[in-house]
Amino acid sequence: MRRQDAVTARMIAALMRLERAPWPAARPAYAAMLTALAIRCEAQPAAVAEMYRWLRAGLASALAAGSGDVRKARREALSVVAAEIAGLLHACRASLDRARRPNLMSMLGFQVRRRARDLLVVERRYHARFGGSWDWAPPVVGARAERMTLVAEVVRMLDTGEPDDRALLLVAQGHSIAAAARRTGASRQAIYRRRERLRAELEGDSDA
Protein backbone atom coordinates (compact mmCIF):
# COMPACT_ATOMS: atom_id res chain seq x y z
CA MET A 1 0.00 0.00 0.00
CA ARG A 2 1.41 3.42 -1.02
CA ARG A 3 2.20 5.74 1.86
CA GLN A 4 -0.02 8.80 1.99
CA ASP A 5 2.55 11.07 3.66
CA ALA A 6 6.24 10.20 3.41
CA VAL A 7 7.28 12.92 5.86
CA THR A 8 4.99 11.57 8.57
CA ALA A 9 6.17 8.03 7.83
CA ARG A 10 9.77 9.13 8.41
CA MET A 11 8.79 10.83 11.67
CA ILE A 12 7.08 7.65 12.87
CA ALA A 13 10.15 5.61 11.91
CA ALA A 14 12.34 8.02 13.86
CA LEU A 15 10.12 7.60 16.93
CA MET A 16 10.40 3.83 16.66
CA ARG A 17 14.21 4.06 16.52
CA LEU A 18 14.21 6.32 19.56
CA GLU A 19 12.04 3.83 21.46
CA ARG A 20 14.83 1.28 20.96
CA ALA A 21 17.61 3.72 21.88
CA PRO A 22 19.09 3.94 25.39
CA TRP A 23 16.53 5.45 27.76
CA PRO A 24 16.22 8.06 29.30
CA ALA A 25 19.05 9.53 27.19
CA ALA A 26 16.71 9.47 24.18
CA ARG A 27 13.85 11.15 26.06
CA PRO A 28 14.46 14.77 24.91
CA ALA A 29 14.66 13.77 21.25
CA TYR A 30 11.62 11.50 21.60
CA ALA A 31 9.60 14.25 23.28
CA ALA A 32 10.55 16.75 20.58
CA MET A 33 9.56 14.32 17.82
CA LEU A 34 6.20 13.62 19.47
CA THR A 35 5.50 17.35 19.60
CA ALA A 36 6.55 17.82 15.98
CA LEU A 37 4.36 14.94 14.87
CA ALA A 38 1.38 16.29 16.83
CA ILE A 39 1.78 19.70 15.22
CA ARG A 40 2.02 18.13 11.77
CA CYS A 41 -1.17 16.14 12.41
CA GLU A 42 -2.94 19.33 13.47
CA ALA A 43 -1.99 20.99 10.18
CA GLN A 44 -1.95 18.16 7.62
CA PRO A 45 -4.87 15.77 7.01
CA ALA A 46 -2.44 13.52 5.12
CA ALA A 47 -0.44 13.13 8.34
CA VAL A 48 -3.56 11.93 10.18
CA ALA A 49 -4.21 9.48 7.35
CA GLU A 50 -0.65 8.17 7.65
CA MET A 51 -1.03 7.72 11.41
CA TYR A 52 -4.27 5.82 10.74
CA ARG A 53 -2.47 3.56 8.24
CA TRP A 54 0.36 2.92 10.72
CA LEU A 55 -2.03 2.13 13.56
CA ARG A 56 -4.19 -0.13 11.39
CA ALA A 57 -1.12 -2.15 10.39
CA GLY A 58 0.25 -2.35 13.92
CA LEU A 59 -3.10 -3.33 15.44
CA ALA A 60 -4.11 -5.71 12.64
CA SER A 61 -4.35 -8.77 14.90
CA ALA A 62 -6.49 -6.93 17.47
CA LEU A 63 -8.74 -5.49 14.76
CA ALA A 64 -9.33 -8.97 13.34
CA ALA A 65 -9.98 -10.71 16.68
CA GLY A 66 -13.28 -11.24 18.47
CA SER A 67 -16.89 -11.25 17.39
CA GLY A 68 -18.27 -9.17 14.56
CA ASP A 69 -19.49 -6.50 16.97
CA VAL A 70 -16.09 -6.29 18.63
CA ARG A 71 -14.30 -5.98 15.30
CA LYS A 72 -16.71 -3.29 14.17
CA ALA A 73 -16.28 -1.36 17.42
CA ARG A 74 -12.49 -1.50 17.18
CA ARG A 75 -12.52 -0.28 13.58
CA GLU A 76 -14.73 2.63 14.56
CA ALA A 77 -12.59 3.33 17.63
CA LEU A 78 -9.50 3.40 15.43
CA SER A 79 -11.13 6.12 13.32
CA VAL A 80 -11.93 8.13 16.44
CA VAL A 81 -8.38 7.77 17.79
CA ALA A 82 -6.97 8.85 14.42
CA ALA A 83 -9.26 11.90 14.44
CA GLU A 84 -7.95 12.86 17.88
CA ILE A 85 -4.35 11.82 17.26
CA ALA A 86 -2.77 15.26 17.71
CA GLY A 87 -4.16 15.68 21.21
CA LEU A 88 -3.20 12.12 22.13
CA LEU A 89 0.37 12.69 20.95
CA HIS A 90 0.58 15.84 23.06
CA ALA A 91 -0.68 13.85 26.04
CA CYS A 92 1.83 11.06 25.43
CA ARG A 93 4.64 13.60 25.27
CA ALA A 94 3.62 15.28 28.52
CA SER A 95 3.37 11.96 30.39
CA LEU A 96 6.79 10.60 29.40
CA ASP A 97 8.51 8.92 32.33
CA ARG A 98 12.29 8.92 32.69
CA ALA A 99 12.12 5.50 34.35
CA ARG A 100 9.82 3.86 31.79
CA ARG A 101 10.59 3.33 28.10
CA PRO A 102 7.62 4.45 25.97
CA ASN A 103 5.72 2.34 23.46
CA LEU A 104 3.57 4.56 21.27
CA MET A 105 1.76 1.71 19.52
CA SER A 106 0.85 0.18 22.87
CA MET A 107 -0.39 3.49 24.28
CA LEU A 108 -2.54 4.26 21.25
CA GLY A 109 -3.72 0.65 21.04
CA PHE A 110 -4.95 0.98 24.61
CA GLN A 111 -6.98 4.01 23.54
CA VAL A 112 -8.50 2.06 20.64
CA ARG A 113 -9.52 -0.84 22.89
CA ARG A 114 -10.91 1.46 25.59
CA ARG A 115 -12.99 3.46 23.13
CA ALA A 116 -14.21 0.27 21.45
CA ARG A 117 -15.48 -0.95 24.82
CA ASP A 118 -17.28 2.36 25.29
CA LEU A 119 -18.89 2.05 21.84
CA LEU A 120 -20.07 -1.47 22.63
CA VAL A 121 -21.61 -0.33 25.92
CA VAL A 122 -23.49 2.46 24.14
CA GLU A 123 -24.59 0.10 21.35
CA ARG A 124 -25.94 -2.48 23.78
CA ARG A 125 -27.77 0.11 25.87
CA TYR A 126 -29.28 1.62 22.73
CA HIS A 127 -30.37 -1.79 21.48
CA ALA A 128 -31.87 -2.72 24.84
CA ARG A 129 -33.85 0.52 25.00
CA PHE A 130 -34.84 1.16 21.40
CA GLY A 131 -34.01 -1.98 19.40
CA GLY A 132 -32.04 -1.81 16.17
CA SER A 133 -28.50 -0.49 15.89
CA TRP A 134 -26.97 2.82 16.88
CA ASP A 135 -25.08 4.62 14.10
CA TRP A 136 -21.45 5.03 15.13
CA ALA A 137 -20.48 8.24 13.37
CA PRO A 138 -17.09 9.90 13.97
CA PRO A 139 -17.24 13.45 15.37
CA VAL A 140 -17.83 16.18 12.81
CA VAL A 141 -14.79 18.11 11.62
CA GLY A 142 -15.64 21.32 13.48
CA ALA A 143 -16.19 19.57 16.80
CA ARG A 144 -13.07 17.46 16.24
CA ALA A 145 -10.90 20.51 15.65
CA GLU A 146 -12.33 22.24 18.72
CA ARG A 147 -11.72 19.16 20.85
CA MET A 148 -8.14 18.80 19.60
CA THR A 149 -7.44 22.46 20.39
CA LEU A 150 -8.82 22.08 23.91
CA VAL A 151 -6.84 18.89 24.51
CA ALA A 152 -3.62 20.55 23.36
CA GLU A 153 -4.28 23.52 25.66
CA VAL A 154 -4.96 21.26 28.67
CA VAL A 155 -1.79 19.29 27.96
CA ARG A 156 0.24 22.52 27.85
CA MET A 157 -1.27 23.53 31.19
CA LEU A 158 -0.25 20.21 32.73
CA ASP A 159 3.17 19.91 31.05
CA THR A 160 5.05 20.98 34.18
CA GLY A 161 6.77 17.76 35.21
CA GLU A 162 5.10 17.90 38.64
CA PRO A 163 3.89 14.48 39.88
CA ASP A 164 0.25 15.51 40.28
CA ASP A 165 0.18 17.06 36.78
CA ARG A 166 1.76 13.97 35.22
CA ALA A 167 -0.71 11.79 37.14
CA LEU A 168 -3.67 13.79 35.85
CA LEU A 169 -2.43 13.33 32.27
CA LEU A 170 -2.29 9.58 32.85
CA VAL A 171 -5.86 9.66 34.16
CA ALA A 172 -6.88 11.51 30.99
CA GLN A 173 -5.37 8.66 28.96
CA GLY A 174 -7.57 6.11 30.71
CA HIS A 175 -5.52 5.05 33.74
CA SER A 176 -7.21 4.86 37.11
CA ILE A 177 -6.30 7.41 39.75
CA ALA A 178 -4.75 4.63 41.83
CA ALA A 179 -2.57 3.50 38.91
CA ALA A 180 -1.57 7.09 38.11
CA ALA A 181 -0.63 7.62 41.76
CA ARG A 182 1.55 4.50 41.76
CA ARG A 183 3.35 5.47 38.54
CA THR A 184 4.06 9.08 39.49
CA GLY A 185 4.36 9.04 43.27
CA ALA A 186 1.59 11.60 43.66
CA SER A 187 -1.00 10.97 46.33
CA ARG A 188 -4.60 10.33 45.34
CA GLN A 189 -5.67 13.39 47.30
CA ALA A 190 -3.18 15.54 45.36
CA ILE A 191 -4.55 14.22 42.07
CA TYR A 192 -8.13 14.98 43.10
CA ARG A 193 -7.14 18.49 44.21
CA ARG A 194 -5.25 19.13 40.95
CA ARG A 195 -8.26 17.98 38.97
CA GLU A 196 -10.50 20.45 40.78
CA ARG A 197 -7.98 23.29 40.25
CA LEU A 198 -7.77 22.43 36.54
CA ARG A 199 -11.56 22.44 36.26
CA ALA A 200 -11.69 25.84 37.94
CA GLU A 201 -8.97 27.19 35.62
CA LEU A 202 -10.82 25.96 32.53
CA GLU A 203 -14.15 27.31 33.72
CA GLY A 204 -12.49 30.63 34.47
CA ASP A 205 -11.05 30.75 30.95
CA SER A 206 -14.46 30.01 29.44
CA ASP A 207 -16.02 32.92 31.36
CA ALA A 208 -13.37 35.37 30.24
Side-chain angles (χ1 to χ4, degrees):
M1 179 178 177
R2 185 172 63 86
R3 285 173 175 166
Q4 299 180 38
D5 183 17
V7 174
T8 301
R10 289 196 294 271
M11 296 173 79
I12 295 170
L15 280 171
M16 297 303 97
R17 288 194 297 271
L18 288 167
E19 285 188 357
R20 297 189 296 271
W23 193 266
R27 183 179 182 274
Y30 189 86
M33 186 59 73
L34 277 176
T35 299
L37 183 56
I39 292 171
R40 184 169 181 81
C41 288
E42 288 172 342
Q44 299 287 340
V48 176
E50 182 62 26
M51 287 296 298
Y52 175 87
R53 182 206 65 81
W54 177 70
L55 281 169
R56 186 176 61 182
L59 300 174
S61 59
L63 294 173
S67 66
D69 285 347
V70 169
R71 294 195 301 272
K72 177 185 176 184
R74 287 179 178 172
R75 288 194 301 268
E76 296 293 339
L78 176 59
S79 296
V80 173
V81 167
E84 300 176 354
I85 193 66
L88 291 171
L89 290 170
H90 281 303
C92 289
R93 180 255 179 269
S95 62
L96 287 175
D97 191 334
R98 290 180 58 85
R100 186 183 181 91
R101 183 184 297 275
N103 185 321
L104 185 60
M105 180 65 74
S106 176
M107 288 187 286
L108 294 176
F110 170 79
Q111 292 294 330
V112 170
R113 292 189 298 273
R114 181 174 68 84
R115 291 160 194 254
R117 288 194 297 269
D118 292 344
L119 286 172
L120 285 170
V121 168
V122 173
E123 165 75 10
R124 288 163 183 165
R125 287 176 178 171
Y126 186 95
H127 180 78
R129 184 171 181 180
F130 302 109
S133 178
W134 178 59
D135 182 20
W136 296 343
V140 297
V141 174
R144 179 188 311 160
E146 183 178 350
R147 179 184 176 93
M148 287 167 60
T149 300
L150 177 61
V151 168
E153 178 61 26
V154 170
V155 168
R156 282 192 291 270
M157 293 171 68
L158 294 176
D159 188 14
T160 66
E162 293 298 322
D164 52 349
D165 284 348
R166 287 181 49 240
L168 202 55
L169 284 167
L170 290 173
V171 172
Q173 293 179 61
H175 295 272
S176 68
I177 286 182
R182 287 195 300 270
R183 288 187 57 179
T184 62
S187 70
R188 298 186 190 185
Q189 292 78 10
I191 299 172
Y192 285 121
R193 288 195 299 269
R194 184 64 184 100
R195 186 173 65 181
E196 291 306 311
R197 290 200 307 274
L198 177 63
R199 181 179 291 117
E201 290 168 16
L202 291 172
E203 291 175 350
D205 288 342
S206 66
D207 293 337

